[in-house]
Amino acid sequence: MKMQREEKQLDSALEAIIMRVNDLKSAIAAMIFKLENEFETLNWPNFLDNFALISGHLTSLSKILSHDKAPNLKSLTILPLRLSPDKDEELLRLTEGRISTFLHDLVPDYLRTKPEPQAEQKMLQLEAKAANLNYETSHDYNKQVAQYTKVINHVWDIANKTREEWESEAGSRTAQAQTSSASDTHSLVAAVGMGKGLKSDSIQMVQPGVNSVASSMMVGRPGNQQQTPNQSPLVQMGKAPSTIKTNIKAASQIHPYGR
């Protein structure tokens, strides 16, 4: 009777533990899915809600394991009843497709109740190192952490301030009035380079104008049609006729003290 009662308690405890483990597994899978697929829209409150859900499942599992009526699982041993290299559909269903065969090389890993020897040794070394730390060493560590946190916060403030300045400068540049026109620039380039938009009657050539002035000068003075040898063509073409008559005499004729 006692054995039967203990077996019933064990079965009920294992069923409750399996339910809590499945809930915990579902919560962890949902959180991993959100981190991998919804990281762009995931905010901090939703992340804390998922973390609180996982923490609640862990608390429930701890209560079940620490209950007075719960069996002491540490005193129990799991032994494989049958080892076969063939594919087991029932095992595949129970493990949700993770294990298809129960072989000799898989039993030590799946039925292990303690960490691997290397991991256990590393954990013991870390625990011994943490236990041997004195107050001064831990205080120095905390001081270094505080200094690093202060430096990181200072760098963060500088980065935020620089970003705000860049955003304000970019906004002021876009708000300035436009002082140029692309269409006018293209029109000027086309006019200078290809003469586009310029009228032909507004362009005055210099040489034809000079020739016309020179021809009018020659026509207005019929008595002076012959050119003197020392008179340059530029004077003939560019000098306008004068209406003032002058009588230029030699300097020796008008000098009062002539020899």
Side-chain angles (χ1 to χ4, degrees), residues 166-179:
W166 287 348
E167 291 177 354
S168 62
E169 290 178 0
S172 62
R173 284 198 297 266
T174 55
Q176 290 179 357
Q178 188 176 2
T179 58

Side-chain angles (χ1 to χ4, degrees), residues 140-233:
D140 293 338
Y141 287 159
N142 294 330
K143 188 176 180 180
Q144 291 179 2
V145 170
Q147 290 179 355
Y148 290 155
T149 305
K150 185 177 179 180
V151 171
I152 291 172
N153 292 331
H154 182 63
V155 174
W156 179 256
D157 294 337
I158 292 175
N160 288 332
K161 185 177 180 180
T162 306
R163 183 182 65 180
E164 292 176 357
E165 291 178 356
W166 287 348
E167 291 177 354
S168 62
E169 290 178 0
S172 62
R173 284 198 297 266
T174 55
Q176 290 179 357
Q178 188 176 2
T179 58
S180 62
S181 176
S183 60
D184 294 344
T185 303
H186 294 322
S187 300
L188 288 174
V189 172
V192 173
M194 297 176 289
K196 185 177 179 181
L198 298 178
K199 296 181 180 180
S200 59
D201 55 354
S202 62
I203 304 175
Q204 296 180 359
M205 301 299 292
V206 177
Q207 188 64 27
V210 174
N211 293 334
S212 61
V213 172
S215 60
S216 62
M217 291 169 56
M218 297 300 294
V219 171
R221 297 176 63 184
N224 195 15
Q225 293 182 359
Q226 296 181 356
Q227 298 180 0
T228 58
N230 57 354
Q231 190 175 5
S232 63

Side-chain angles (χ1 to χ4, degrees), residues 89-103:
E89 297 293 339
E90 184 66 17
L91 181 63
L92 191 65
R93 184 185 63 82
L94 292 175
T95 57
E96 297 180 355
R98 292 189 297 270
I99 304 174
S100 60
T101 57
F102 212 52
L103 299 177

Side-chain angles (χ1 to χ4, degrees), residues 24-40:
L24 178 62
K25 183 178 66 176
S26 301
I28 294 174
M31 187 173 183
I32 293 174
F33 179 81
K34 288 184 178 180
L35 290 176
E36 291 179 350
N37 300 302
E38 301 179 1
F39 59 91
E40 295 181 353

